[in-house]
Amino acid sequence: DPRIKRIIVFGKKGSKPIKFSLEAMKPTAKLLGVEIILKEVADFSDLKSEINAISRADADAIYYAPDPFISKNATFVINHSIEKKLPTIFADTYFAEQGALAAYGGNFKSSGSQSARIAAKILFENILPKDLPIEGVVDVDLAINLASAEKMGITISQEVLSLAKIIIK
């Protein structure tokens, strides 16, 4: 959505995955004219304070960058984002099923099968890992939660819905 210009990313203070994700996001954010606002928290109390303090005037959306602490508290983040009408996007369809507006990321079942196939080559075909080609994620899923969209007063275009592999009603 071109109207999204400020995105909040929550993360545990000192989280290396957050720093890595933000560095990877910077070029695209700059190209799109989007400001990424990192809100680092020390504990659940900090997270609660930060979420309670934000409003639509502060940000247009919340993005989940990989962080175990935020993942553990995702339901809290999702519920409050719906309350504040701030769309959220996560990387795992599980979170869309929990109420996040959208999820876009690797399909873990498919990745597990891919890993098993590679492990079988090493274990049963005696192929050395160094002789195997590097593979990335093969299946990527887009999930849209229409119930959450409705609660936030957001209309999802048919174009986006046509790209979604999973639509939650």
Side-chain angles (χ1 to χ4, degrees):
D1 186 334
R3 293 170 294 183
I4 294 178
K5 295 296 177 192
R6 291 159 302 155
I7 298 173
I8 288 182
V9 175
F10 290 103
K12 181 89 169 169
K13 281 186 181 169
S15 168
K16 289 183 181 178
I18 290 289
K19 301 260 188 264
F20 180 77
S21 293
L22 291 178
E23 284 303 313
M25 292 169 61
K26 280 181 183 178
T28 303
K30 185 177 180 179
L31 183 69
L32 296 174
V34 173
E35 178 185 5
I36 306 295
I37 305 161
L38 174 61
K39 300 279 185 174
E40 290 186 296
V41 295
D43 53 28
F44 182 76
S45 177
D46 276 359
L47 177 63
K48 187 175 178 181
S49 294
E50 287 289 348
I51 286 181
N52 286 333
I54 63 172
S55 71
R56 286 298 306 234
D58 301 317
D60 303 310
I62 296 172
Y63 174 76
Y64 166 79
D67 181 282
F69 174 77
I70 301 302
S71 184
K72 176 182 170 190
N73 293 292
T75 303
F76 176 80
V77 173
I78 291 165
N79 290 339
H80 280 73
S81 71
I82 291 170
E83 223 175 80
K84 294 176 175 284
K85 300 189 182 326
L86 281 167
T88 55
I89 185 165
F90 279 73
D92 183 345
T93 58
Y94 167 81
F95 295 110
E97 293 163 359
Q98 301 307 305
L101 176 66
Y104 183 74
N107 179 304
F108 292 117
K109 183 177 179 184
S110 173
S111 294
S113 296
Q114 182 181 5
S115 297
R117 179 180 48 76
I118 292 168
K121 287 182 179 195
I122 295 166
L123 296 172
F124 304 118
E125 297 176 30
N126 296 317
I127 298 174
L128 294 173
K130 70 177 182 83
D131 295 332
L132 291 170
I134 294 173
E135 295 184 25
V137 175
V138 176
D139 285 334
V140 178
D141 294 340
L142 171 62
I144 302 290
N145 187 316
L146 290 177
S148 294
E150 186 177 326
K151 289 176 188 173
M152 290 187 266
I154 296 171
T155 302
I156 307 295
S157 72
Q158 278 306 122
E159 180 183 9
V160 171
L161 289 174
S162 73
L163 298 172
K165 195 173 196 177
I166 301 162
I167 298 175
I168 301 157
K169 298 178 182 185

